[in-house]
């Protein structure tokens, strides 16, 4: 049963999927369809945010998310300012209040924020009048990623409700997994987390997800298989023995993918670790929509900026 | 000097099974008479305690006064002022200062500062290990000689089981408890709140209950092995309290304390705070089921004492990122109201049991003078007003710090006056009784 889209977004910020209603999610997805059209035009710029200022505050390294937001902002004709942890005085030890004061001196209308600490955008949102858009906070949320993933699923499969979506990898440290779980369960999909328990958060039933400790049973009849990056850097700690063993038991291979539905999509938020969580034959295969996710990311971020600026649905 | 007649109060003293209207005469800073009606010389000042409860002075055996070294958070002077304003006549201060109180000269410094300030009685707790590094024993005997009443590596748990064993053994010679902050640092590493459904929901790295419980279990076994007095600090989970029940049934020399924040707030309250570090403490706020378990332990006597774990921090530190902000809350000026409202007001325990938990037992556990109104005892008294409502206002704290999750909370009951050595060191302003 399709969800009725809301007319507007209730909050001034987008800090997490957890605070959105299904109607608001529907509104963002529907609005992004319009902006996807713009990407197909020869002149991709619209005057929607002319005269508005967006600060991109990235206190954690990021290239793809930051580029995606910047493209979205430029296509909406916004003025943009970039702050990153390495390129400014923003650093560990400076309090969020100081950061807020500094930023407000520039009177931005929007702050797109990536931060290593869970909840930082939520706290900043309560301190400043600008609209905060969370570009990833700690292990908590990455709402625009979940929105673009859902947008991509809907484009290919026509709907979200009833879909069986597998999310596999380092779930415990993944804000992408969490935002996707919030979004998909709100929209009526079934979410399965697949990982060894050492990479799984505790009590995932609390967020409406079913845990699987082996990949194969999770893949049964799946409509979507989303693989998360396994960070080689984490190898030194105690979560799993080796990359080789991880791939042996949890890597997505063409053979394992056979258990999923014939139309199943393969997704990945990037950057991909070939041969660690995903076999190149799958990553580059015909079911992969990984590059399309990137294109859709711009449309979703344009839609979010437009709606937070006071825009309405059609 | 220091003579006082306290009239018309309701005297509650579990050490003498007293709960009735009585007068108390103080002479030379000591309790001289407790009787139904006392007439004294006209030159003896009179304090009319009509409508108030008169109890032996409350003793908080777990506070952080931060001096020496962290005077920007708290000093012995501001911490003493906060203590008496919170109704405490004595506090025991943890050794995680800078330098650590692992040396008799520092113990002595704290004793002297406490006496010079002259408000609450200040009893230092010495470190178990040099520098709280968990490697070699500190000079426990020398610190006891200078006034230390217990040893603890609070804040830096003793991870080495053999060192803990030796500390429990060695401390027997000086008849002092080893107070243990129970936390397996490997299990808790990186965590900022209780690990469970709520942490999974709000995306904060968790500290599992087991981080506390495995250490409680280990140390109970070591207490059994050594016969030393193990005092377990700020227990926060049902599992820990069940282990203490088991130890007590076995007759082991194991005691424990709980805090007002763990019997009042749960991890759900943290979730509702919008990632506010004032809700961040160690041990963390636990699920509601553990809050119930702490209340149960208070009710059935498993808990020996209520302590504040007063942990003042500067606002600038609490404004840091949630994961970077330090653990702890300022507790001295809210504990009595929380206990009166949540424990006595909600009929978890009676007033006499509360006085036991906040005065009599703490004095017994740490072998401190006080905890009783027997004739000949030091005249340390806490007067309570059970009826007035107070709204927690951190800006009015005597403490240097304001880090509390209770701001704006309205509670029924509060301390009315604090008397140390027969001297009224603090008195509530005539508030707004309702
Ligand atoms: Zn502690």
């Amino acid at each position: 049963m399709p969800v009725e889209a809301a007319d507007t977004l209730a909050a001034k910020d987008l800090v997490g999927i957890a605070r959105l209603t299904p109607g608001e999610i529907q509104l963002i997805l529907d609005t992004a369809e319009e902006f996807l059209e713009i990407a197909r035009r020869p002149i991709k710029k619209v005057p929607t945010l002319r005269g508005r200022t967006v600060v991109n505050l990235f206190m954690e390294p990021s290239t793809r998310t930051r580029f995606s937001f910047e493209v979205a902002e430029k296509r909406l004709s916004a003025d943009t300012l970039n702050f990153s942890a390495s390129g400014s005085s923003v650093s560990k030890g400076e309090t969020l209040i100081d950061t807020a004061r500094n930023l407000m001196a520039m009177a931005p209308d929007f702050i797109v924020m990536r931060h290593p600490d869970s909840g930082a955008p939520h706290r900043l949102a309560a301190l400043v009048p600008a609209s905060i858009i969370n570009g990833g906070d700690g292990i908590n949320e990455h709402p625009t990623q979940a929105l673009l993933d859902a947008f991509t699923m809907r484009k290919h499969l026509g709907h979200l409700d009833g879909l069986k979506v597998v999310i596999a990898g380092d779930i415990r440290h993944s804000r992408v997994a969490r935002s996707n779980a919030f979004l998909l369960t709100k929209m009526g999909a079934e979410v399965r987390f697949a990982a060894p328990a050492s990479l799984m958060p505790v009590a995932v039933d609390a967020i409406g997800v079913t845990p699987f400790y082996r990949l194969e049973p999770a893949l049964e009849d799946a409509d979507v298989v989303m693989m998360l990056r396994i960070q080689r850097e984490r190898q030194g700690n105690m979560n799993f023995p080796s990359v080789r063993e991880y791939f042996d038991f949890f890597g997505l291979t063409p053979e394992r993918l056979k258990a999923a539905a014939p139309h199943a999509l393969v997704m990945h938020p990037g950057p991909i670790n070939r041969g660690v969580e995903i076999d190149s034959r799958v990553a580059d295969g015909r079911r992969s929509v990984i590059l399309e996710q990137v294109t859709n990311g711009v449309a979703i971020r344009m839609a979010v900026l437009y709606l937070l600026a006071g825009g309405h649905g059609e | 000097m220091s003579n006082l007649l306290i009239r018309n109060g309701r005297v509650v003293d579990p050490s003498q099974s007293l709960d009735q209207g009585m007068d108390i005469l103080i002479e030379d800073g000591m309790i001289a008479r407790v009787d139904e009606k006392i007439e004294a010389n006209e030159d003896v000042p009179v304090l009319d305690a009509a409508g108030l409860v008169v109890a032996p002075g409350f003793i908080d055996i777990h506070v952080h006064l931060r001096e020496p070294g962290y005077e920007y958070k708290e000093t012995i002077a501001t911490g003493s002022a906060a203590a008496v304003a919170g109704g405490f006549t004595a506090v025991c201060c943890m050794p995680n200062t800078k330098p650590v109180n692992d040396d008799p000269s520092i113990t002595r410094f704290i004793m002297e500062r406490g006496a010079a300030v002259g408000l609450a009685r200040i009893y230092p707790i010495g470190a178990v290990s040099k520098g709280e590094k968990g490697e070699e024993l500190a000079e426990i005997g020398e610190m006891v000689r200078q006034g230390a009443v217990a040893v603890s590596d609070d804040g830096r748990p003793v991870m080495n089981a053999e060192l803990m064993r030796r500390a429990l053994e060695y401390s027997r010679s000086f008849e002092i408890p080893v107070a243990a902050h129970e936390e397996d640092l490997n299990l808790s590493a990186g965590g900022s709140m209780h690990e469970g459904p709520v942490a999974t929901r709000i995306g904060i790295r968790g500290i599992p209950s087991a981080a506390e419980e495995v250490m409680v279990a280990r140390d109970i076994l070591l207490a059994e092995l050594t016969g030393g007095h193990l005092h377990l600090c700020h227990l926060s989970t049902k599992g820990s309290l069940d282990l203490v029940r088991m130890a007590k049934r076995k007759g082991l020399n194991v005691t424990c304390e709980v805090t007002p924040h763990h019997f009042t707030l749960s991890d759900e309250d943290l979730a509702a705070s919008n990632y506010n570090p004032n809700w961040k403490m160690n041990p963390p706020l636990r699920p509601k089921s553990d809050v119930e378990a702490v209340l149960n332990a208070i009710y059935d006597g498993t808990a020996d004492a209520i302590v504040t774990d007063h942990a003042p921090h500067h606002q600038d530190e609490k404004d840091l990122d949630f994961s970077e902000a330090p653990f702890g809350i300022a507790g001295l000026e809210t504990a009595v109201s929380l206990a009166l409202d949540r424990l006595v007001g909600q009929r978890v325990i009676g007033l006499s049991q509360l006085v036991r938990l906040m005065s009599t037992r703490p004095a017994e556990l740490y072998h401190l003078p006080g905890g009783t109104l027997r004739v000949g005892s030091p005249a340390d008294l806490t007067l309570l007003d059970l009826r007035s409502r107070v709204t927690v206002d951190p800006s009015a704290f005597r403490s240097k710090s304001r880090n509390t999750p209770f701001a704006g909370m309205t509670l029924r009951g509060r301390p009315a006056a604090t008397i140390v050595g027969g001297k009224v060191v603090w008195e509530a302003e005539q508030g707004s009784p309702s």
Side-chain angles (χ1 to χ4, degrees), chain A residues 168-245:
Chain A
D170 184 356
I171 313 278
R172 189 147 66 87
H173 301 98
S174 175
R175 52 198 175 207
V176 174
R178 295 164 42 74
S179 282
N180 263 291
F182 293 144
L183 189 152
L184 292 165
T185 53
K186 279 180 198 230
M187 301 306 276
E190 176 195 328
V191 181
R192 305 166 176 175
F193 282 170
S198 54
L199 292 176
M200 187 82 79
V202 301
V204 292
D205 54 312
I207 56 170
V209 173
T210 312
F212 288 80
Y213 303 108
R214 293 293 291 254
L215 185 57
E216 293 81 356
L219 290 173
E220 282 305 313
D221 300 323
D223 299 294
V224 178
V225 183
M226 186 185 298
M227 302 305 291
L228 303 175
R229 181 180 169 78
I230 289 294
Q231 289 181 301
R232 293 170 195 271
E233 314 85 85
R234 287 195 198 284
Q235 255 237 79
N237 67 32
M238 305 176 194
N239 298 327
F240 63 94
S242 69
V243 162
R244 181 176 79 169
E245 179 164 323

Side-chain angles (χ1 to χ4, degrees), chain B residues 62 64 154-155 181 233-234 282-283 309:
Chain B
H62 190 142
H64 299 269
D154 188 42
H181 167 125
C233 294
H234 43 52
N282 190 5
D309 192 9

Side-chain angles (χ1 to χ4, degrees), chain B residues 95 97 99-107 110 125-133 136-140 142-143 153:
Chain B
T97 47
V100 168
N101 180 18
D102 62 355
D103 182 282
S105 66
I106 297 158
T107 309
I110 296 167
I125 295 171
V128 169
S129 66
K130 292 198 176 106
E132 286 199 337
K133 287 202 176 95
E136 39 183 342
L137 287 181
E139 288 181 331
I140 293 172
E142 301 290 352
M143 290 190 289
D153 275 2

Side-chain angles (χ1 to χ4, degrees), chain A residues 276-313:
Chain A
V276 179
E277 68 269 2
I278 191 165
D279 190 308
S280 280
R281 288 171 294 166
V282 177
D284 305 329
R286 65 184 173 80
R287 293 179 187 176
S288 167
V289 293
I290 295 172
L291 289 174
E292 205 187 314
Q293 286 174 268
V294 180
T295 313
N296 293 340
V298 175
I300 280 290
R301 286 163 181 135
M302 289 174 81
V304 167
L305 285 159
Y306 165 78
L307 290 169
L308 290 178
H312 291 253

